[in-house]
Amino acid sequence: MKRGDINQYLDIHKMPSHIAIIMDGNGRWAQERGLPRVSGHKAGVNALKEIIIACSDLNIKVLSLYAFSTENWKRPKEEVNALMNLLVSSLKKEIDKLNENNIKIRVIGEKEGLPEKVQKEVIKAEERTKNNTGLILNIALNYGGRKEIIHSVKEVCKKVINNELTLDDIDENIFSQMLYTNGLPDPDLIIRPSGELRLSNFLLWQSAYSEFWFTPVYWPDFKKEHLIQAIIDYQKRNRRFGSIQTGVGE
Ligand code: IPE
Ligand code: IPE
Ligand code: MG
């Protein structure tokens, strides 16, 4: 199929509002080419550029990206440093273009745990794009779903201690408001490349009713065509939310 043709198979009335991607397989992509793992991460950033623009063109409201997990600190120091440097340099290089495309950057995760230069760049990018009204690019950095839930529990407890909430006030809605993702819809579609079939601590609370799409393709080889295919497959699913016979987006 020629590039571009595939778009016509999309139903614009059943588009997912929020797509989340676990960008995985950079290391294996590099390894297969006899390259250092960091080359895979660099190739991963290139793949990402195409996907961000595609989501923006498709009028997707939110694109969440798993960029660095709370567990990724277990990797060799050199790789962690290279990833942090890549983050800073990519943000610096791409921020003008992202801003021109009306994209709003938001970062979820424990920002305080990131190196200072990363924190600085992240805050700058959020500040610069805060009034943009297009695609929300939600980057999970030093993010762990369990840590996020604990964070939310603590925020709720604080409010109870300060008499701002009673125990009876606590419900799913209040709890969701204390998550990093406050104000964002839950992901409709979660995509994981690289052949792994797991969440790896990503958006645990928010993924309760997400649809999953997996591919063996490594993230650096992930193209717009894969994204479109994932959305086409998603549109064929029957999202029941525990009820009977409702369709996608209903
Ligand atoms: C994903 O690719 C990038 C990050 C986790 C930061 P990996 O580095 O996990 O690639 P594989 O899974 O080792 O191939
Ligand atoms: C998940 O990938 C984290 C990111 C993509 C940032 P990992 O490669 O860290 O996940 P596991 O270790 O295979 O579960
Ligand atoms: Mg991996």
Side-chain angles (χ1 to χ4, degrees):
M1 195 176 296
K2 282 214 306 291
R3 257 182 109 96
D5 286 351
I6 196 171
N7 272 15
Q8 66 186 323
Y9 297 103
L10 285 176
D11 180 346
I12 54 156
H13 304 293
K14 284 185 174 181
M15 293 302 281
S17 294
H18 182 173
I19 297 177
I21 306 183
I22 302 172
M23 304 184 290
D24 197 16
N26 298 351
R28 280 163 285 170
W29 181 92
Q31 210 168 12
E32 280 186 4
R33 287 160 180 76
L35 297 168
R37 291 180 60 87
V38 62
S39 302
H41 297 313
K42 283 184 185 155
V45 173
N46 276 333
L48 179 56
K49 290 185 205 165
E50 176 172 321
I51 300 307
I52 293 173
I53 295 304
C55 283
S56 180
D57 290 348
L58 289 167
N59 287 322
I60 302 296
K61 289 190 180 66
V62 187
L63 173 64
S64 287
L65 300 166
Y66 206 3
F68 193 88
S69 75
T70 45
E71 287 73 34
N72 286 147
W73 297 107
K74 292 180 199 161
R75 295 185 178 206
K77 215 173 88 208
E78 299 71 42
E79 182 172 348
V80 170
N81 287 343
L83 277 166
M84 293 299 154
N85 289 336
L86 190 59
L87 252 158
V88 170
S89 62
S90 304
L91 267 179
K92 276 192 174 150
K93 206 163 143 228
E94 302 301 328
I95 188 70
D96 286 342
K97 195 170 170 212
L98 292 168
N99 195 35
E100 274 164 30
N101 280 285
N102 198 21
I103 292 168
K104 181 173 178 164
I105 295 174
R106 173 162 172 175
V107 171
I108 56 167
E110 271 191 51
K111 283 189 192 139
E112 316 77 48
L114 291 164
E116 222 159 282
K117 61 175 185 213
V118 180
Q119 288 189 40
K120 219 178 88 193
E121 219 44 54
V122 156
I123 292 165
K124 224 162 82 183
E126 284 181 323
E127 192 56 33
R128 171 110 185 260
T129 61
K130 72 174 180 208
N131 294 323
N132 289 349
T133 53
L135 175 75
I136 296 174
L137 190 61
N138 182 44
I139 309 170
L141 253 188
N142 193 20
Y143 173 89
R146 287 186 173 180
K147 281 228 162 62
E148 181 185 34
I149 290 170
I150 298 286
H151 166 86
S152 186
V153 167
K154 286 185 178 170
E155 291 299 309
V156 170
C157 288
K158 272 191 227 163
K159 290 200 184 294
V160 173
I161 292 167
N162 295 336
N163 294 319
E164 291 168 46
L165 282 180
T166 67
L167 273 187
D168 284 341
D169 291 332
I170 302 170
D171 60 10
E172 292 183 16
N173 196 25
I174 292 279
F175 191 78
S176 295
Q177 285 171 24
M178 307 295 155
L179 293 167
Y180 300 134
T181 49
N182 175 29
L184 301 177
D186 287 341
D188 299 294
L189 172 62
I190 298 183
I191 296 173
R192 183 163 192 164
S194 93
E196 307 300 352
L197 309 177
R198 54 178 172 261
L199 268 177
S200 300
N201 207 9
F202 191 42
L203 301 177
L204 296 182
W205 170 277
Q206 299 86 338
S207 61
Y209 269 103
S210 300
E211 297 294 328
F212 291 86
W213 195 83
F214 299 104
T215 172
V217 168
Y218 293 140
W219 175 248
D221 289 329
F222 194 94
K223 301 271 181 281
K224 182 181 173 183
E225 283 78 353
H226 299 111
L227 175 76
I228 306 274
Q229 191 58 57
I231 300 174
I232 291 171
D233 291 350
Y234 161 85
Q235 294 183 332
K236 291 184 195 141
R237 309 253 181 107
N238 190 355
R239 298 185 81 187
R240 283 182 290 273
F241 298 98
S243 179
I244 51 166
Q245 286 198 341
T246 53
V248 159
E250 285 164 33

